Amino acid sequence: MAAVTELSFLLFALSNYIHAQEVIILRDEVDSYTFKLPENSTSCLISRCVGEEQLVLWNTSDLWSNSSSVPQHLKQRLVSSVKTSSYTILNLTHSDSGRYREECWTEGNVTHDNNFTITVCPSTDWSDITIDPTSVRLGGTVDLPCWGAADNLDIQWLKQDSRDDYETWRRVFWDKTTSVMDNVRGRYQVVTNTSTLRVSNVTATDFTAYSCLVMNQQQCVSSYPVGLVPQYEVIYRSVGETAVLPCSITDSTDEQPPRWTKPFSTDLGQLKQTDPSVDQNYSLVFSSLMLNHSGRYYCKAPNRVQHYYLFVCPKFGPPAVELFSEGEEVTLRCRDWGKGKGHVWFIKSNRTEGRIFSVWYDQSMSRVSWYRNNGTLVISNISVGDAGEYWCVVYDDDYGHYQCVSTERTVLVWL
């Protein structure tokens, strides 16, 4: 019995390994796909697996002859280019889906061997579907939706293979229960009743594109892509203070260092001795903040970006004091909210160890309602953990610089 169990485990592990290594090419129906073969090869074979059988589709040295093995319906949709050694299938259909292999020889030696899967899905009418990128903080948990999922159909989740290549994907789940990716096992789960992909303890390598394939047996019924991007962070500082904006979206696969940019400004990526400067960890460092440092900042790496809003305000005066008892509802008012083009609330409480968070960014403030049309912040069912300091920053969005107009501070004191 132990031997049977061990064999079953080894087969399961081998199956996971095969699926994890598999490169998948996603295409819509009526799209095309081009096989790009080495130009110096004597001959090449392109074959497709049907079940356990490998069928030779064509031999590039004998492509157009009457005895060619290329099926007639495929030959009619095939375009070749002698100059680039490329072969394109036009007007793809679901029957073109399957596992493919490219093999090329030069003087009897194999010089090219490539295996991949092409999955052809029906074209999606995006006019009725609004898909916005899903944002999350590093270390957080997020659910990526799978539109069109149904209980009686199979679901496959794919992850973009490379941030520089939108064409290739890797399968995350192929049996809906266990991730086939070793580096994410335990962090990726499919929620059974919704087929959403739950990503836990998010790392920089998770920020990429995903696609949910709704399958009927081996045929793709629909595909729905969704992007996972870093959640923007809103930061408050006073004049003369320091600030460090981390660039935490980089990983070991990046060949080029990230760049810092600011709208309507120059590229900040090459700054060395000026304020701000970029340190060895690619963080943007402000040693002594000034009012004109306010604005939006972007740390950009290939196909992903980290976004900051920095508000720099003058030193604030004495705070107002509000007393409260547990369970009450407290309304804080931003009296100067009409002086600028917008306002934002910041929170500094004991439960955040003195750190300052924006209401936009602090996910624990589920009992807080922010009314932008009248400058009020309402905290319901207040508790001792809500005690602390609250700032309302009124700003004027002048070409993306978010210039601070005024700051009001209120201290909530628990009775």
Side-chain angles (χ1 to χ4, degrees):
M1 180 63 70
V4 174
T5 302
E6 183 176 351
L7 178 60
S8 298
F9 174 79
L10 290 175
L11 290 174
F12 176 77
L14 178 61
S15 180
N16 270 2
Y17 175 79
I18 293 173
H19 282 86
Q21 296 300 310
E22 185 179 12
V23 174
I24 299 173
I25 311 295
L26 279 185
R27 284 290 188 272
D28 284 346
E29 289 181 340
V30 308
D31 281 352
S32 62
Y33 180 75
T34 300
F35 299 87
K36 299 177 182 179
L37 303 175
E39 297 182 12
N40 57 351
S41 298
T42 305
S43 65
C44 297
L45 288 179
I46 298 178
S47 56
R48 184 174 67 205
C49 292
V50 179
E52 298 298 325
E53 187 177 0
Q54 182 170 297
L55 302 178
V56 175
L57 295 183
W58 62 81
N59 185 331
T60 59
S61 61
D62 183 31
L63 182 60
W64 303 111
S65 68
N66 293 331
S67 60
S68 171
S69 60
V70 182
Q72 190 62 31
H73 70 87
L74 186 58
K75 185 183 292 188
Q76 294 172 351
R77 296 183 288 125
L78 187 63
V79 177
S80 64
S81 172
V82 178
K83 293 183 179 180
T84 60
S85 297
S86 65
Y87 301 84
T88 302
I89 301 178
L90 304 175
N91 299 321
L92 291 168
T93 70
H94 69 85
S95 62
D96 295 314
S97 297
R99 290 186 291 132
Y100 287 79
R101 183 176 185 180
E102 301 170 345
E103 298 173 274
C104 296
W105 295 266
T106 301
E107 297 180 354
N109 297 317
V110 176
T111 54
H112 177 75
D113 191 354
N114 185 28
N115 294 272
F116 55 93
T117 293
I118 296 178
T119 299
V120 182
C121 297
S123 300
T124 302
D125 182 7
W126 298 108
S127 61
D128 296 329
I129 302 174
T130 301
I131 298 181
D132 294 321
T134 302
S135 62
V136 66
R137 289 182 289 178
L138 285 167
T141 298
V142 64
D143 285 350
L144 303 182
C146 181
W147 290 272
D151 292 337
N152 61 329
L153 296 177
D154 296 326
I155 301 298
Q156 292 185 12
W157 272 100
L158 308 181
K159 180 179 180 180
Q160 190 173 303
D161 185 43
S162 170
R163 294 190 179 103
D164 297 321
D165 184 0
Y166 292 103
E167 182 176 82
T168 62
W169 302 71
R170 299 277 183 176
R171 189 174 280 115
V172 180
F173 281 88
W174 66 280
D175 62 0
K176 208 175 178 182
T177 58
T178 306
S179 172
V180 299
M181 289 187 169
D182 290 334
N183 61 332
V184 300
R185 188 161 297 158
R187 296 195 300 110
Y188 285 20
Q189 295 178 331
V190 173
V191 182
T192 303
N193 58 341
T194 61
S195 296
T196 59
L197 179 65
R198 178 165 295 164
V199 184
S200 305
N201 192 22
V202 169
T203 66
T205 57
D206 297 323
F207 294 130
T208 185
Y210 299 80
S211 187
C212 175
L213 304 189
V214 180
M215 309 291 293
N216 186 0
Q217 297 180 355
Q218 299 300 315
Q219 184 173 337
C220 178
V221 176
S222 59
S223 63
Y224 298 95
V226 59
L228 184 58
V229 298
Q231 189 177 62
Y232 65 81
E233 186 172 354
V234 187
I235 298 175
Y236 172 86
R237 290 291 189 273
S238 294
V239 170
E241 294 182 340
T242 61
V244 178
L245 311 187
C247 185
S248 51
I249 59 172
T250 59
D251 59 56
S252 58
T253 64
D254 292 327
E255 296 181 0
Q256 298 293 328
R259 297 181 300 105
W260 280 96
T261 61
K262 185 179 181 182
F264 313 105
S265 183
T266 58
D267 189 338
L268 305 176
Q270 304 302 320
L271 294 178
K272 299 297 181 183
Q273 303 299 324
T274 57
D275 194 359
S277 61
V278 179
D279 67 12
Q280 67 274 15
N281 296 320
Y282 308 118
S283 297
L284 191 64
V285 180
F286 299 82
S287 59
S288 181
L289 286 165
M290 297 181 292
L291 289 176
N292 62 2
H293 283 145
S294 293
R296 290 179 292 165
Y297 293 86
Y298 301 93
C299 177
K300 294 184 177 181
N303 295 317
R304 61 200 187 278
V305 62
Q306 194 164 4
H307 187 186
Y308 290 92
Y309 288 84
L310 176 63
F311 293 89
V312 183
C313 294
K315 295 289 185 179
F316 41 72
V321 178
E322 294 273 354
L323 304 178
F324 69 90
S325 299
E326 190 163 5
E328 289 183 344
E329 180 177 277
V330 173
T331 299
L332 304 179
R333 303 186 184 279
C334 185
R335 292 182 297 275
D336 292 340
W337 71 275
K339 293 183 178 180
K341 293 185 178 179
H343 70 286
V344 58
W345 284 90
F346 292 89
I347 303 166
K348 178 182 179 182
S349 65
N350 294 333
R351 61 183 172 76
T352 60
E353 300 176 348
R355 291 176 295 169
I356 300 174
F357 286 94
S358 165
V359 174
W360 291 351
Y361 192 65
D362 190 346
Q363 301 299 308
S364 64
M365 301 299 292
S366 59
R367 293 173 290 102
V368 173
S369 299
W370 174 24
Y371 298 94
R372 303 191 189 195
N373 59 342
N374 62 11
T376 60
L377 188 75
V378 179
I379 309 173
S380 61
N381 193 23
I382 202 165
S383 66
V384 63
D386 297 317
E389 302 177 17
Y390 292 75
W391 282 271
C392 176
V393 173
V394 179
Y395 63 89
D396 188 1
D397 181 9
D398 184 15
Y399 297 103
H401 294 299
Y402 291 89
Q403 191 73 31
C404 181
V405 175
S406 69
T407 306
E408 298 175 72
R409 182 170 60 135
T410 302
V411 177
L412 286 184
V413 179
W414 183 52
L415 290 176

